[in-house]
């Protein structure tokens, strides 16, 4: 080994944890279209949003001016317990692939919640506490967000009511156990505790639930409970903002080793881990300084960017949330079953949607579940980390890019986001190992139903 070899793990000091979040909207050439009040179709104002969201978070949501928003010390102190997260050079994977490419990943799965979601959960809980609220409500699909939020609320002594998509609650009882340990109350959705839940159950008593329905239940509960607000773990501008700690740390680490990524890859559910990793580098692209190639990877069974429409749509099934202009499959779309629970959302962050629409995100790619688990297994065996199935979508694309480099001889620097751990997904790994994992891809007809339910808003 050469003496000046780049280490396997590039660590930062505690002092290098970012002191501000990066707000890409201040730099975007075309800002995304505003979110609309579903009643009036007028842009949502601060006062429209106040019954639902925390005050300070609304300011962040609507802020398109300030490039940097200071991270309060109370949040940074919590970050210090599990950040900075490591940037890892995947030497062993490179060797296995016989690629001249340099592969790096930023690993966010090292905290108890097991994913990047804690970066925003702690910020949202902090502002709810500061506002003097009793508690917050939310939904969770695979369970990562509910877990992260439970940890954050446990830390600040806030109450939290989690609506968990029923099928996930059944498949992942340990997730429920973790949330309850941190003090959350967990209700499988659809439930009979809300009007929307009761309506869903009337239509389909055996419903296994969707993220869109759980969102409606959580919003309804927040609005009807004194001292509660609703919080969300992805899609929103504020969430993408909080996640920029990931990319900022990665940038500092690359500076330390004197390199810069040519390709940046992330899995895309609602866009928060991808946005968080990518946007600090996007700042360089928007400024004309660097031109990294950005790839968003989504599951073939929930292909919002590759097969969806760029249109105003509801963020939930119950149609109680504002309308956002985004890539969407329609709020009524229910993806065929898939084990990357965190990637089953019908829409995409309006910020990332706009950047993709304008060509700043170079490519969106849809991949099959079985290929994803194959990539996950290869990665686990060579790198010694069991990835979340969501994160393995990024691994799959990173491997494909590295294999291309083997063919062309290019020594590209590839960076991908390893958004979480796969410890709560062993059921899916076992199915894969037994050869029982199936690839379900919606037909054009399946998609047409969801797409035709997108409202006509000509803005
Ligand atoms: C929730 C989740 C995702 C998908 O959400 P994004 O907002 O798109 O990041 C990806 N990976 C993991 C591990 C998750 O928990």
């Amino acid at each position: 080994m050469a003496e000046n070899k780049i280490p396997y793990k590039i660590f930062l000091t505690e002092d290098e944890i970012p002191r501000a979040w990066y707000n890409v909207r201040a730099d975007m050439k075309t800002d995304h279209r505003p979110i609309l009040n579903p009643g009036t179709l007028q842009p949502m104002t601060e006062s429209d949003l106040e019954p639902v969201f925390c005050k300070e978070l609304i300011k962040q949501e609507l802020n398109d001016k300030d490039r940097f928003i200071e991270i309060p010390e109370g949040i940074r102190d919590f970050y210090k317990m599990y950040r900075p997260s490591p940037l890892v050079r995947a030497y062993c994977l490179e060797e296995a692939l016989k690629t001249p490419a340099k592969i790096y990943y930023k690993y966010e799965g090292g905290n108890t919640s097991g994913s990047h979601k804690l970066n925003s959960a702690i910020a949202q809980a902090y502002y709810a506490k500061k506002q003097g609220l009793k508690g917050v409500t939310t939904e969770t699909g695979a369970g990562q967000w509910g877990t992260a939020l439970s940890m954050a609320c446990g830390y600040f002594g806030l109450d939290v009511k989690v609506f968990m998509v029923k099928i996930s609650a059944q498949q992942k009882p340990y997730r429920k156990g973790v949330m309850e340990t941190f003090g959350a109350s967990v209700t499988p959705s659809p439930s009979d505790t809300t009007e929307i839940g009761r309506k869903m159950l009337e239509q389909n008593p055996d419903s296994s639930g969707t993220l869109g329905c759980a969102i409606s239940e959580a919003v309804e509960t927040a609005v009807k409970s004194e001292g509660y607000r609703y919080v969300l773990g992805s899609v929103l501008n504020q969430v993408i903002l909080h996640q920029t700690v990931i990319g900022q740390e990665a940038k500092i680490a690359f500076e330390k080793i004197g390199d810069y990524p040519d390709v940046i890859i992330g899995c895309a559910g609602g866009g928060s881990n991808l946005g968080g990793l990518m946007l600090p580098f996007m700042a360089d692209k928007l400024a004309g300084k660097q031109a990294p190639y950005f790839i968003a990877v989504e599951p073939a069974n929930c292909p919002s960017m590759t097969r969806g429409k760029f249109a105003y749509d509801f963020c939930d099934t119950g149609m109680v949330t504002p309308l956002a202009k985004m890539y969407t499959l329609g709020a009524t779309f229910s993806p065929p079953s898939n084990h990357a629970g965190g990637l089953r959302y019908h829409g995409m962050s309006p910020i990332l949607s706009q950047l993709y629409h304008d060509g700043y995100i170079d490519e969106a790619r849809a991949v099959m579940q079985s290929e994803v688990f194959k990539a996950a297994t290869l990665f686990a065996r060579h790198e010694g980390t069991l990835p979340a199935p969501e994160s393995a979508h990024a691994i799959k694309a990173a491997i494909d890019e590295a294999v291309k480099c083997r063919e062309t001889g290019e020594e590209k620097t590839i960076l991908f986001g390893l958004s979480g751990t796969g410890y709560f997904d062993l059921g899916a790994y076992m199915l894969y190992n037994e050869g029982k994992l199936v690839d379900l891809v919606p037909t054009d007809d399946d998609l047409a139903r969801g797409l035709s339910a997108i409202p006509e808003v000509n803005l």
Side-chain angles (χ1 to χ4, degrees):
M1 258 178 229
E3 255 171 47
N4 60 354
K5 182 174 167 174
I6 290 163
Y8 279 68
K9 280 190 180 158
I10 301 115
F11 282 111
L12 307 187
T13 65
E14 199 169 279
D15 209 44
E16 288 168 314
I17 296 173
R19 291 174 193 279
W21 294 299
Y22 169 58
N23 179 16
V24 73
R25 291 181 70 197
D27 289 338
M28 279 166 70
K29 309 288 175 204
T30 336
D31 192 13
H32 70 72
R33 303 287 304 160
I35 49 171
L36 302 181
N37 182 313
T40 62
L41 295 187
Q42 292 302 307
M44 291 294 274
T45 61
E46 275 187 50
S47 57
D48 285 339
L49 291 165
E50 270 180 19
V52 181
F53 292 116
C54 303
K55 283 199 185 99
E56 196 61 33
L57 293 167
I58 296 171
K59 290 214 178 83
Q60 294 180 358
E61 193 62 29
L62 300 177
N63 188 331
D64 58 0
K65 298 275 184 306
D66 301 313
R67 291 191 77 219
F68 287 97
I69 295 171
E70 195 185 315
I71 304 174
E73 277 308 309
I75 298 172
R76 263 190 108 243
D77 286 344
F78 190 89
Y79 279 164
K80 286 175 195 165
M81 288 194 274
Y82 71 100
R83 305 202 69 80
S85 72
L87 180 74
V88 186
R89 172 78 184 265
Y91 280 116
C92 302
L93 180 66
E94 288 170 19
E95 199 174 309
L97 298 173
K98 307 229 172 325
T99 174
K102 290 172 272 178
I103 308 175
Y104 293 87
Y105 56 91
K106 180 80 170 154
Y107 183 45
E108 292 291 320
N111 66 75
T112 292
S113 77
S115 82
H116 66 288
K117 294 208 170 68
L118 195 54
N119 300 330
S120 183
I122 195 63
Q124 297 194 42
Y126 171 87
Y127 291 115
K129 182 72 184 178
K130 203 173 144 210
Q131 194 176 324
L133 297 175
K134 272 192 223 148
V136 293
T137 70
T138 198
E139 75 293 329
T140 194
Q144 288 101 324
W145 167 244
T147 308
L149 188 67
S150 302
M151 284 177 71
C153 288
Y155 178 73
F156 285 120
L158 277 170
D159 187 31
V160 54
K161 297 179 199 289
V162 179
F163 288 88
M164 184 168 189
V165 177
K166 195 178 277 171
I167 182 82
S168 298
Q170 288 162 356
Q171 284 174 348
K172 300 186 177 184
Y174 291 154
R175 276 282 178 195
K176 190 166 175 275
V178 183
M179 286 186 256
E180 287 168 350
T181 301
F182 284 100
S185 74
V186 181
T187 308
S189 165
S191 78
D192 60 8
T193 68
T194 64
E195 268 173 45
I196 287 158
R198 286 190 291 273
K199 205 169 113 195
M200 295 287 164
L201 286 172
E202 232 166 73
Q203 287 166 5
N204 179 6
D206 301 322
S207 165
S208 56
T210 62
L211 212 47
C213 174
I215 295 174
S216 306
E217 289 205 274
V219 173
E220 185 185 320
T221 304
V223 173
K224 287 184 179 164
S225 315
E226 180 71 34
Y228 281 77
R229 292 293 186 279
Y230 167 71
V231 295
L232 180 66
S234 185
V235 185
L236 298 178
N237 298 341
Q238 54 187 274
V239 181
I240 310 288
L241 177 78
H242 303 149
Q243 294 295 353
T244 58
V245 291
I246 306 173
Q248 292 188 74
E249 285 181 4
K251 251 179 117 169
I252 299 170
F254 273 104
E255 271 165 32
K256 286 194 176 187
I257 57 171
D259 200 354
Y260 193 95
D262 299 302
V263 184
I264 298 175
I265 302 170
C267 66
S272 76
N273 86 88
L274 172 61
L277 177 68
M278 171 181 75
L279 293 177
F281 294 95
M282 184 64 82
D284 296 342
K285 193 161 182 167
L286 290 165
K289 287 193 217 152
Q290 295 276 0
Y293 188 84
F294 294 111
I295 307 175
V297 191
E298 57 185 18
N301 85 332
C302 194
S304 51
M305 291 174 93
T306 50
R307 292 172 74 195
K309 220 164 113 177
F310 187 48
Y312 266 110
D313 195 10
F314 291 96
C315 300
D316 67 325
T317 316
M319 306 187 178
V320 296
T321 58
L323 293 148
K325 178 102 184 249
M326 58 184 176
Y327 279 88
T328 175
L329 294 163
T332 57
F333 176 73
S334 173
S337 106
N338 166 296
H339 290 278
L343 305 182
R344 286 169 54 90
Y345 186 61
H346 68 273
M348 177 52 54
S349 140
I351 291 176
L352 267 60
S353 293
Q354 189 69 48
L355 288 168
Y356 177 52
H357 189 72
D358 293 342
Y360 289 100
I361 295 176
D362 301 87
E363 187 185 335
R365 203 180 275 186
V367 293
M368 295 283 196
Q369 172 163 252
S370 55
E371 299 175 329
V372 165
F373 276 84
K374 188 174 167 202
T377 306
L378 183 79
F379 179 82
R381 289 182 192 173
H382 292 284
E383 287 295 317
T385 293
L386 185 76
E390 291 88 351
S391 322
H393 286 68
I395 297 175
K396 161 69 182 150
I399 290 177
D400 288 349
E401 291 305 300
V403 168
K404 267 190 226 161
C405 289
R406 178 174 75 207
E407 284 151 12
T408 60
E410 284 172 291
E411 293 178 20
K412 282 187 187 168
T413 297
I414 299 170
L415 166 64
F416 73 86
L418 191 66
S419 50
T421 171
Y423 268 123
F424 285 98
D425 301 279
L426 291 170
Y429 275 97
M430 285 163 77
L431 285 177
Y432 174 72
N433 294 338
E434 291 161 17
K436 288 184 187 156
L437 213 59
V438 284
D439 287 321
L440 297 171
V441 180
T443 63
D444 286 344
D445 280 350
D446 294 337
L447 290 186
R449 243 170 293 143
L451 293 171
S452 66
I454 296 172
E456 288 281 331
V457 180
N458 295 318
L459 286 169

